[in-house]
Amino acid sequence: MAQHPCFSRLVEKSRDQSNDPLPTPAPHIPLPLLITGITGVAGYNALAWFQSRFGDQVWGLLPPGTLDFNAPNTIMCSAESYPELHALFEKIHFASILDCAGNCALKACQLDPKIAWSLNVEIISNLAKISKRYSARLVHFSVDMVYGGRPGGNYREEEPPCPVNVYGQTMAEGEKVVAEEDPFAVTLRISMPMGPSFNGHAGAIDWIASRFRKGRYATLYYDEVRTPTYTDCLSRVAHAFLSNEYHGLLNAGGVRPVSLYEMAQIINRAGGFSSELLFGLMKEESCPVPPRVSNCTLDSSRIAQVLGYEPFVPWPREESLVPDDRTWHARRLPGELGSVAEMYRRLT
């Protein structure tokens, strides 16, 4: 069975623009660039994207004690400590910051709000203070789960947050902190970044696929609906905003609503896994801790207006990979095998 993509292959993939359907952003960004949250899917893939273009002018920030991280040019520093960040900026005069940090473990956040606050609010507070002090360009990733969901979803930027769990509450507080501490920064509300993770079992694709690969069952929600994006699209968007002067808050979700159950169907079929390993349920059937969102899809039409082009392709790109009912993943065509390699090629 094919191996999980390593960082060097992600860098090579990021260099390949031959099949890029989107306009290439302006190449110049303020350098050197610091990327936080690189143990998460968005940050890990962004690190590969920017290092493929700007090499050792791009640094990744790792939490102290991180083991077996397979990317170059990383620094261990506790971003919860303003003095440590200040010392780092005195040593390396970063001209821009892409903040992808945050703890998205819903249950852990719900059971320990203090830790959630530290990782989702204090870190961005420190980064915003630092960016303002050093006149560094700050692009901050927030999340669609600042909303709790409603029939039809389709939230716009001007609608006030209405989170249903601690994770969403702390991410909403992080948005406020950025606006207060660095009014020249931009906050981008992202949804589900679809790409490989550094450890092979984080993020939607790797977590679901890791269960299927081991022959374990996966149970996902029919009624939790998101607007996922390919990580390369998300990195291009970050590139565009690092190189422009826009400030404020924008939605940066994808253009195709997809439920968590449908995501698992797509991964199951593209990866050639047994269809019998996938189960679905409604969120009211699940454990009440942590509270789940429902349809928190984002209306991201404004970001296309700001950039002058639509920055996101649908996830998945191929219409043939869009489920049409709850048994779609089990209806394989003659000779259709699927594989892990095909899954990564088509879905990341």
Side-chain angles (χ1 to χ4, degrees):
M1 186 171 282
Q3 296 297 308
H4 179 270
C6 68
F7 187 80
S8 61
R9 278 183 280 174
L10 284 184
V11 172
E12 289 301 316
K13 176 177 176 284
S14 296
R15 287 196 184 106
D16 180 15
Q17 297 298 294
S18 60
N19 296 316
D20 186 354
L22 303 177
T24 302
H28 175 74
I29 63 172
L31 294 170
L33 165 66
L34 178 66
I35 303 178
T36 68
I38 59 172
T39 57
V41 172
Y44 183 62
N45 286 271
L47 185 67
W49 172 269
F50 286 99
Q51 285 190 350
S52 76
R53 284 152 177 77
F54 305 109
D56 60 9
Q57 286 292 292
V58 178
W59 297 76
L61 193 68
L62 283 172
T66 305
L67 300 176
D68 301 323
F69 194 84
N70 59 359
N73 230 39
T74 57
I75 312 164
M76 283 197 182
C77 174
S78 176
E80 298 101 306
S81 167
Y82 183 85
E84 284 192 40
L85 273 179
H86 179 260
L88 177 61
F89 270 70
E90 285 293 296
K91 181 179 179 181
I92 304 173
H93 298 283
F94 292 106
S96 58
I97 306 166
L98 173 58
D99 174 46
C100 309
N103 182 357
C104 62
L106 300 186
K107 189 171 184 178
C109 287
Q110 201 71 22
L111 296 178
D112 196 341
K114 184 176 180 181
I115 292 295
W117 184 273
S118 175
L119 297 177
N120 297 338
V121 182
E122 290 180 6
I123 285 179
I124 185 54
S125 175
N126 289 338
L127 289 170
K129 289 173 183 175
I130 284 283
S131 64
K132 185 176 180 181
R133 177 168 183 167
Y134 289 88
S135 299
R137 175 59 165 163
L138 172 61
V139 175
H140 165 60
F141 282 172
S142 183
V143 70
D144 54 359
M145 289 177 69
V146 299
Y147 296 112
R150 64 187 179 193
N154 212 35
Y155 288 97
R156 295 182 62 83
E157 289 89 346
E158 62 269 18
E159 297 184 67
C162 51
V164 296
N165 51 42
V166 170
Y167 172 59
Q169 291 162 6
T170 52
M171 294 302 288
E173 285 298 317
E175 293 182 354
K176 292 180 185 178
V177 164
V178 173
E180 292 167 0
E181 299 287 354
D182 186 353
F184 297 102
V186 61
T187 291
L188 302 176
R189 278 188 190 136
I190 70 173
S191 186
M192 302 278 284
M194 305 304 273
S197 61
F198 94 94
N199 58 14
H201 54 79
I205 292 176
D206 279 355
W207 182 82
I208 294 169
S210 70
R211 295 193 66 81
F212 291 153
R213 291 171 79 164
K214 297 172 184 176
R216 295 179 180 175
Y217 297 110
T219 303
L220 284 300
Y221 298 95
Y222 297 127
D223 53 345
E224 181 171 332
V225 187
R226 315 287 288 278
T227 34
T229 58
Y230 285 94
T231 50
D232 56 352
C233 290
L234 198 57
S235 295
R236 291 187 191 98
V237 166
H239 191 154
F241 283 96
L242 285 166
S243 65
N244 68 26
E245 297 181 352
Y246 185 90
H247 58 274
L249 184 147
L250 288 168
N251 288 343
V255 295
R256 190 198 300 281
V258 185
S259 73
L260 295 194
Y261 180 77
E262 289 169 334
M263 290 179 197
Q265 285 185 290
I266 293 163
I267 293 163
N268 181 275
R269 187 162 175 175
F273 303 112
S274 169
S275 62
E276 296 178 357
L277 296 174
L278 175 60
F279 292 87
L281 78 167
M282 304 297 286
K283 72 185 185 80
E284 62 264 22
E285 300 175 76
S286 66
C287 174
V289 180
R292 303 292 310 194
V293 300
S294 54
N295 187 333
C296 58
T297 53
L298 299 174
D299 177 345
S300 300
S301 56
R302 189 172 298 170
I303 199 170
Q305 295 171 3
V306 170
L307 293 176
Y309 58 91
E310 173 53 64
F312 297 112
V313 298
W315 188 93
R317 284 183 178 89
E318 301 167 50
E319 291 293 329
S320 63
L321 284 176
V322 179
D324 54 16
D325 63 31
R326 292 178 181 176
T327 63
W328 168 88
H329 60 292
R331 302 197 307 270
R332 313 287 167 96
L333 299 173
E336 180 185 351
L337 299 177
S339 68
V340 173
E342 280 293 290
M343 179 191 71
Y344 283 118
R345 183 184 67 81
R346 300 170 81 180
L347 302 182
T348 68

